[in-house]
Amino acid sequence: MQKRIIIIGGGIVGSTAAFYLSQTDNHITLIDHGLGTATRAAAGIICPWLAQKKNKDWYRLTSTGAVFYRQLMADLTKAGVTDLPFKQTGTLGLKSRPELAEKVQAIAKERRQDTPTIGDIRLLEKEDVTDYLPALTPDNYGILLEGGGRVDGGKLIDLLQEQVLLNGGKLLKGQAFLQNEREVAFEGEILTADHIILAVGAWLPHILEPLGYQVDVRPQKGQLFELETDLDTDNWPVCMPYGEIDILPFEKGKVIIGATHEDDMGYDLTLDSDKIAAMKERSENFMPILAQYAVSKTRTGTRAYTSTYAPFYGQLADKPSLWVASGLGSSGLTNGPFIGWQIAQEIVEKPTHFDRSPYSPAPYIQPQ
Ligand SMILES: Cc1cc2nc3c(=O)[nH]c(=O)nc-3n(C[C@H](O)[C@H](O)[C@H](O)COP(=O)(O)OP(=O)(O)OC[C@H]3O[C@@H](n4cnc5c(N)ncnc54)[C@H](O)[C@@H]3O)c2cc1C
C-alpha cells in the first residue's frame, strides 16, 4: 500500500531521506524553511578517521556515514547526475610533534582493519608535507589519509531535492508546524501522513515542545569564510591543522576556512567579522600565501547539540509514526546522509543491517 510521508527539514538528513523515499512508490512531501540550515553553512570535511574522540558509538555511525558517501554518489550517478559534489581528495592532518602524528597513525591503522575505505596512511616529515600541499609552511609533521574527502553540502542538498521533484515528490518552502503524530500545519492547511520525519536539526525543540515534549537539543552557531584564489587547488587534500580551523580546497581556486563553535549565541545568524579575521590570521600561519586574498564570501549556520554531544535518530517510543533525527553536531555532514538513508529504508521496511539502538531518541525527548 502506498504511504504518505512528510519530511520536515531539508538539510542533509531530510533531503537524503526524501531522495531515497522518492524512488519508492510512496507520496513524498519535503517542507523546508531554509533558515540557518547547517548543511548549507558546513565546511565539508568527510573524514572521521583522524578523530581521537573516545565515543565508540559516535565513531561507528560517523565512519559508516563517511563510507556511505560512495554509495550515495553511485546512486546519484545512477539517477543521471554527472557533476557530483563529493570528492575523495585525501585528508592531511598536521601535528607539531612527530609522536602526535605517530599516535594518530596508529589509531587510523587500527580503524583501517574494519574500514578499507581509509586507504593508504602516510606519515610525513616536515619537508615532505609540501609535496602534497605546496602552500603550507614546512613547520609541521603530517599524517595523510587517502580515503578522506570533502563535499559541498549546499550543492548536495540542491541535487537531492531536484531528484525528489523529478521522481514526483513535492517540495514546499516555508515553516511547518506539527499538530500531532499524523498531521502537519502548513500555510493554513492541514496535511496528513502515515509517517512524519522531523529532520529539523537545531529546531527540534521548537517543533516538539508545543506538543508537550522536553527536548535535549541546543543550538551552536558556526561561521566560516571562502577565498577565491588563483591557486591550483583542484587536487589539494583537505587540510586539518591543529586548533580550531580547517582549510578545505575546492575546485577552481576556492578555499574554505572555518569554522567557529559558538555555544552562547543561540540561533543568531549575524556575521562576526572579528571572528572571521581571527580565523583568517590563523590560517595564514599555516599557509602565508592566503594573506594575498580577501574574503569573498561568509556563511553562518546553526548546529544541533545534545548534552552528551551524541546524535540520535529513530521513532518516538509513544508515537511510532513520528521519526526524528538531531544532535548531529559538527560531524552531521558526514553521518547525516546515512541517517537519512536508514530512516527511509526502515519506513519502506527494507533491511539496513545497522543496529541503531545506541542512538535511540528516548534519552533526549521526554514527555513533560
Ligand atoms: C559552520 C559549520 C561547519 C560545519 N562543517 C562540517 C564538516 O566539515 N563536516 C561535517 O561532517 N559536518 C559539519 N558541520 C555540521 C553539519 O553541517 C550538520 O551537523 C548537519 O548539516 C546537520 O544536518 P541536519 O539535516 O540535521 O540539519 P540542517 O542542515 O540544519 O537542516 C535542518 C533544516 O530544517 C529546517 N527547519 C527547521 N524547522 C523547520 C520547520 N518548522 N519547518 C520547515 N523547515 C524547518 C531548517 O531551516 C533547515 O533547513 C558543520 C556545521 C556548521 C554550522
Side-chain angles (χ1 to χ4, degrees), residues 8-15 31-46 62 157 174-177 186 199-204 206-207 220-224 246 248 259-260 299-304 325-336:
I8 307 180
I12 192 64
V13 175
S15 300
I31 309 176
D32 186 48
H33 192 300
L35 196 69
T37 317
T39 306
R40 287 197 192 279
I45 303 168
I46 306 299
T62 311
I157 56 178
Q175 188 174 9
F177 299 86
F186 181 77
V200 291
W203 294 268
L204 193 63
H206 295 190
I207 202 157
Q220 184 193 65
K221 180 175 177 181
Q223 304 182 65
L224 52 69
D246 296 302
L248 284 89
T260 64
R299 296 194 231 153
T300 307
T302 310
R303 303 181 188 91
S326 186
L328 277 54
S330 51
S331 43
L333 209 54
T334 310
N335 54 32

Side-chain angles (χ1 to χ4, degrees), residues 331-349:
S331 43
L333 209 54
T334 310
N335 54 32
F338 180 78
I339 291 173
W341 171 83
Q342 189 174 17
I343 292 175
Q345 291 288 104
E346 290 195 28
I347 286 179
V348 296
E349 291 164 27

Side-chain angles (χ1 to χ4, degrees), residues 225-240:
F225 65 95
E226 294 182 17
L227 302 175
E228 299 295 340
T229 74
D230 48 10
L231 303 168
D232 184 10
T233 53
D234 284 17
N235 294 312
W236 281 9
V238 168
C239 179
M240 299 176 76

Side-chain angles (χ1 to χ4, degrees), residues 2-6 21 24-29 168-170:
Q2 289 183 329
K3 295 173 183 167
R4 291 156 305 167
I5 304 159
I6 296 177
L21 286 167
T24 66
D25 193 19
N26 294 298
H27 298 285
I28 310 305
T29 304
K170 267 196 209 157

Side-chain angles (χ1 to χ4, degrees), residues 165-184:
L165 289 174
L166 286 171
N167 292 337
K170 267 196 209 157
L171 191 55
L172 304 178
K173 279 277 157 206
Q175 188 174 9
F177 299 86
L178 191 65
Q179 300 296 102
N180 55 53
E181 68 266 40
R182 289 191 191 268
E183 288 184 324
V184 171

Side-chain angles (χ1 to χ4, degrees), residues 29-194:
T29 304
L30 174 63
I31 309 176
D32 186 48
H33 192 300
L35 196 69
T37 317
T39 306
R40 287 197 192 279
I45 303 168
I46 306 299
C47 185
W49 303 302
L50 288 172
Q52 295 182 54
K53 269 193 179 192
K54 294 214 163 58
N55 183 333
K56 286 203 166 70
D57 290 327
W58 170 86
Y59 174 74
R60 177 174 154 264
L61 176 63
T62 311
S63 178
T64 302
V67 173
F68 178 74
Y69 261 87
R70 281 75 184 168
Q71 185 184 323
L72 180 59
M73 293 305 116
D75 292 337
L76 281 170
T77 305
K78 220 189 291 166
V81 175
T82 48
D83 185 15
L84 295 171
F86 169 78
K87 184 169 175 185
Q88 182 177 316
T89 52
T91 303
L92 177 61
L94 297 182
K95 299 287 169 197
S96 57
R97 300 203 310 272
E99 63 273 22
L100 298 177
E102 281 159 19
K103 187 177 165 199
V104 180
Q105 181 196 33
I107 295 172
K109 278 191 170 168
E110 201 188 316
R111 288 173 170 168
R112 188 174 56 185
Q113 290 173 13
D114 300 328
T115 312
T117 308
I118 294 173
D120 193 27
I121 300 169
R122 235 172 266 181
L123 209 53
L124 304 175
E125 293 297 327
K126 287 179 176 178
E127 57 278 12
D128 297 331
V129 161
T130 52
D131 292 348
Y132 296 90
L133 225 170
L136 282 172
T137 56
D139 297 332
N140 292 288
Y141 298 87
I143 165 102
L144 187 81
L145 298 197
E146 186 188 15
R150 43 94 170 146
V151 67
D152 179 338
K155 184 169 164 182
L156 176 54
I157 56 178
D158 286 343
L159 284 169
L160 292 167
Q161 292 177 15
E162 258 172 46
Q163 291 298 316
V164 172
L165 289 174
L166 286 171
N167 292 337
K170 267 196 209 157
L171 191 55
L172 304 178
K173 279 277 157 206
Q175 188 174 9
F177 299 86
L178 191 65
Q179 300 296 102
N180 55 53
E181 68 266 40
R182 289 191 191 268
E183 288 184 324
V184 171
F186 181 77
E187 294 191 344
E189 267 186 65
I190 298 293
L191 313 176
T192 53
D194 301 297

